[in-house]
Structures are given as C-alpha cells and as structure tokens.
Amino acid sequence: MAFEQVIGQREVQQRLTQMVSEGRLPHAIMLCGPQGCGKKALAIGFAQMLLARTANDEAMLRKLEHPDLHFTYPTIKLPSMGSDHKPVSDDFAKEWHELVMGGPYFTMTEWLEQMGGENQQAIITAGESDELVRKLSLKSSQGGYKISLVWLPERMNTECANKILKLLEEPPSQTVFIMVSEEPDRLLETIRSRVQRIDVKRIADYDVHKALVEKRGLTENMAQRITRMANGNWLKALQMLSTDSENELFLDMFQSLMRLAYQRKVKDLKTWSERMAAMGRERQKRFLEYFLRLVRENFMYNFQQPDLCYMTQREEDFARNFARFINEANVLPITDLANVAIRDIGQNANAKIVFFDFALQMIVLLIQK
C-alpha cells in the first residue's frame, strides 16, 4: 500500500524504507524539492508504511483516517470565524480529506479553492501549533508511532514556527515529524537544523511517460508531447490533461499582452492589467511562471531546433510568427522583469500597478533588436 500513488522516485522510496529497516529513523525529516515532484505523495506513503502494523491499520490508512496520522496544512480565515479565532487544520478537515483522497498531487491554488478562499494567503497559525502540542502529548491510539505530517511548513507564522521548534527540540514519545517543503530556505535555521533533509528531484521523464500511458490511457505520441512539456512535474502533466486548463486563458493573456505592447496601445494595456489584477494572487503568480516558460520557448524556437522546444500546438502556432521578437537583446531583461513581478505579487504589492508597469515595460523591451 505504501507509495502506491507515487509517480517514480524509487530512489527516495528506497532511502526512506532503508532508514526504517536499519533502525535509523530520525524523529523529523523534511522532503524538499520542486513543485510536482511528488513530495506530498512520498510523505503520505511513508506515513502509511510507518503506521501499517495490522490489517485494521491498513484499512484506516487507505481512507487516510488513521487516528495516529495528524495532518497540518496552511489555512485561511473565513468570514464566519470569530475575530479571536486562529484557524487550524481541523477547521478544514473535511475539505482536506476530500481533496487528498482524490490524489496526493494538487497545488496550493486547488487547496485554496477547496477551502473557498482563492484570493487569500494561506498560513499555518499559532493555533495550529497549540493543537499539535495537545494531540502529540496523547498516547498513540494504536500503540505504534504518531505521525505529524506538515505540508508547506514555510507558511508557518513566526509564533507558530517558534512553538514547532520547541516540539522538534523535545519531541513527544514515538512521534515522527514528516515535513513537505517547496521553499525550505524560508524556514527558521533552527528548525532546518533539527530535521533530516531529503532532496527530491524532478520525476524522470520515463516515469512521467509511463504513468501517462498506464494511468491515464494516453497514446504514445500524446504522452511523449506532454512528458516533454511537463519537465518532470506531474502537476503540470495533470494540468495539461485537464479540459478546463487555465493554460488556455494564460496563452490568450500572453498573446494579448504581446500584441498590445507591440502596437503601443497603452489604454488597452491598462485594461489588460486590470484583468490580471482581478485574478487571485496565486493565479497571478502562475501566469507569470507560464509567461517565463513561453518566453524561454520562443527564444529557443529561433534556433530552429524542435527537440529543444516544449510547446502545445496552439503555443507553437503563435510562436511561428512571434518568436523573432524574443532575441538575445531582450530575453534576459524580459525574464528579469517577470521575476521582479513574481516577487512583488508575493509581497502583496498593488497588482494593478505591478501589471500595468509590467505591460508598459514590455513596449520598450519588444523593440530591442
């Protein structure tokens, strides 16, 4: 049962299994790696392996309802909550269970939508650390380990992080912490020093391709195209399979931006920036990441090396006429511009100002030869 939902990553699975078989299991590990590499799936699989002692355990673990498995994840504050209430994971236990039972590969945006707060910034509050202290102080329900699985610990606020640090310094009996992080550098150094870090690499193309054919029923040709574009990110592969994928919207916004910037239509660019500002911050960041990918692909398209390009048919159709505008003179400044916008959006800057400035600078950058 353990690791059955993990795509690839056999090396990490083997390392985790070996820790247990050799009696070298640390009280806290942290799986780190890029989005879509399967860290959360590995963490859940490892927790299932540690807790599965009896048939009854396995039955509960299949439903992710084992009493000794405690999930911690970023949450939001709903309007219905009192002013003094600090949101905790248990407030959204039903929503979490529904999402994770659909598969361990999902994004923060999907989680925000599940909670009903796409435009909010999800965090792990001090209330959550208080709950963990309470839960982990109790004896194991089934007589084995107690597992605290923390998704995105970098989203802990300062008060929560300090309380978690104390738990890590003096872990309760038979407790194992499994953290899943995409930005470990944002964590307190004192926390990072108390966990055993395991870096998870992108998924091998072979494993992505195999899963697309065997789990999703794709043809070899379609699986090959999606595998190349996914670049080791199973979330991207799933996104490209989705019929209502936001990539279509992002491509339309990308094309619109480039056309309006080339034509110097400032008034229309202002309208474009207002459309972008109306999206949630997580979606805005995803658009900018999509923007960076298409800039890179159009730059590579100029080299007339199809094996180096990873685009959908629609993206390639647009690149055929547009790619010449992304060249040696402007590819780095355009990349820098998008990265600055990602930083500013992440720091809660005014989105209308960020995207209007972004659009105006594109006018200048597109004419560089």
Side-chain angles (χ1 to χ4, degrees):
M1 178 182 64
F3 305 120
E4 65 183 1
Q5 295 194 73
V6 179
I7 308 298
Q9 304 297 2
R10 282 173 291 277
E11 185 179 332
V12 180
Q13 293 180 40
Q14 184 178 4
R15 181 175 174 183
L16 291 170
T17 304
Q18 198 168 351
M19 279 181 179
V20 179
S21 64
E22 295 179 355
R24 296 184 295 104
L25 179 64
H27 75 276
I29 66 170
M30 184 164 65
L31 299 169
C32 306
Q35 190 180 73
C37 68
K39 304 178 298 298
K40 189 168 353 84
L42 283 163
I44 292 173
F46 189 44
Q48 289 173 323
M49 186 183 80
L50 292 175
L51 293 171
R53 304 168 72 226
T54 67
N56 187 44
D57 284 329
E58 292 193 2
M60 291 187 289
L61 288 167
R62 285 194 182 279
K63 298 178 181 178
L64 295 180
E65 293 176 344
H66 196 287
D68 293 324
L69 175 58
H70 306 288
F71 286 104
T72 291
Y73 35 80
T75 58
I76 59 173
K77 188 156 188 173
L78 297 174
S80 58
M81 294 175 176
S83 58
D84 295 333
H85 180 70
K86 296 176 181 178
V88 295
S89 296
D90 283 352
D91 292 330
F92 299 92
K94 180 183 176 183
E95 291 82 358
W96 173 264
H97 189 259
E98 287 177 357
L99 188 59
V100 79
M101 284 300 291
Y105 293 85
F106 55 84
T107 63
M108 170 53 68
T109 301
E110 290 173 288
W111 173 228
L112 283 169
E113 290 173 353
Q114 183 81 355
M115 287 190 290
E118 187 180 359
N119 291 326
Q120 294 195 46
Q121 294 276 27
I123 64 169
I124 301 176
T125 69
E128 182 68 34
S129 53
D130 293 337
E131 274 294 288
L132 264 185
V133 170
R134 181 186 66 80
K135 290 176 181 177
L136 298 178
S137 66
L138 303 174
K139 287 186 177 181
S140 165
S141 171
Q142 304 299 304
Y145 288 113
K146 293 172 290 183
I147 307 294
S148 172
L149 198 159
V150 185
W151 182 47
L152 302 182
E154 57 266 35
R155 288 185 178 247
M156 293 188 293
N157 64 18
T158 304
E159 187 180 356
C160 177
N162 286 324
K163 290 182 177 181
I164 292 294
L165 174 59
K166 290 182 180 179
L167 271 178
L168 293 173
E169 288 174 335
E170 299 177 14
S173 174
Q174 288 184 290
T175 297
V176 178
F177 292 89
I178 307 174
M179 298 186 175
V180 179
S181 176
E182 289 178 5
E183 299 176 278
D185 290 343
R186 287 177 52 191
L187 278 164
L188 295 174
E189 170 58 32
T190 44
I191 288 181
R192 283 182 282 154
S193 67
R194 283 167 175 76
V195 301
Q196 182 165 329
R197 174 170 172 165
I198 297 177
D199 289 308
V200 184
K201 301 176 183 177
R202 62 183 287 278
I203 305 171
D205 286 348
Y206 167 81
D207 291 314
V208 174
H209 185 276
K210 184 170 183 262
L212 287 170
V213 173
E214 295 181 359
K215 294 179 181 289
R216 300 287 166 163
L218 268 62
T219 64
E220 288 288 333
N221 185 51
M222 181 62 74
Q224 183 177 7
R225 179 179 278 269
I226 290 180
T227 296
R228 291 175 60 203
M229 292 172 57
N231 193 29
N233 183 336
W234 184 246
L235 287 172
K236 275 190 179 179
L238 293 179
Q239 189 179 52
M240 284 180 275
L241 286 175
S242 175
T243 55
D244 59 347
S245 171
E246 67 184 1
N247 278 8
E248 293 297 310
L249 168 64
F250 288 168
L251 177 57
D252 290 339
M253 295 298 286
F254 181 88
Q255 291 174 337
S256 178
L257 170 64
M258 295 308 182
R259 285 168 177 156
L260 294 173
Y262 179 74
Q263 295 166 359
R264 295 174 174 77
K265 292 187 175 181
V266 175
K267 185 177 180 181
D268 290 335
L269 284 172
K270 187 172 186 296
T271 301
W272 179 90
S273 64
E274 290 169 350
R275 282 187 65 195
M276 284 301 311
M279 299 180 185
R281 290 191 182 274
E282 294 295 334
R283 178 170 280 190
Q284 289 164 1
K285 287 190 284 187
R286 289 202 308 280
F287 167 76
L288 290 166
E289 289 162 0
Y290 175 87
F291 174 94
L292 282 169
R293 181 178 74 79
L294 272 203
V295 166
R296 182 261 180 199
E297 299 303 339
N298 277 271
F299 181 63
M300 296 305 296
Y301 192 89
N302 284 328
F303 289 95
Q304 298 182 350
Q305 295 289 330
D307 289 344
L308 298 177
C309 295
Y310 305 89
M311 291 186 279
T312 66
Q313 193 60 56
R314 263 196 77 199
E315 290 167 349
E316 194 171 332
D317 291 342
F318 180 69
R320 199 167 290 118
N321 294 318
F322 171 73
R324 59 193 173 93
F325 293 101
I326 306 295
N327 50 59
E328 293 90 340
N330 63 14
V331 65
L332 291 180
I334 290 175
T335 299
D336 291 341
L337 178 66
N339 283 322
V340 168
I342 291 173
R343 181 202 66 193
D344 291 344
I345 292 298
Q347 294 177 351
N348 293 323
N350 186 303
K352 286 185 180 179
I353 295 174
V354 170
F355 282 105
F356 190 40
D357 178 68
F358 181 82
L360 292 178
Q361 291 197 54
M362 282 305 305
I363 294 176
V364 178
L365 292 171
L366 279 184
I367 63 174
Q368 293 187 16
K369 303 290 185 181

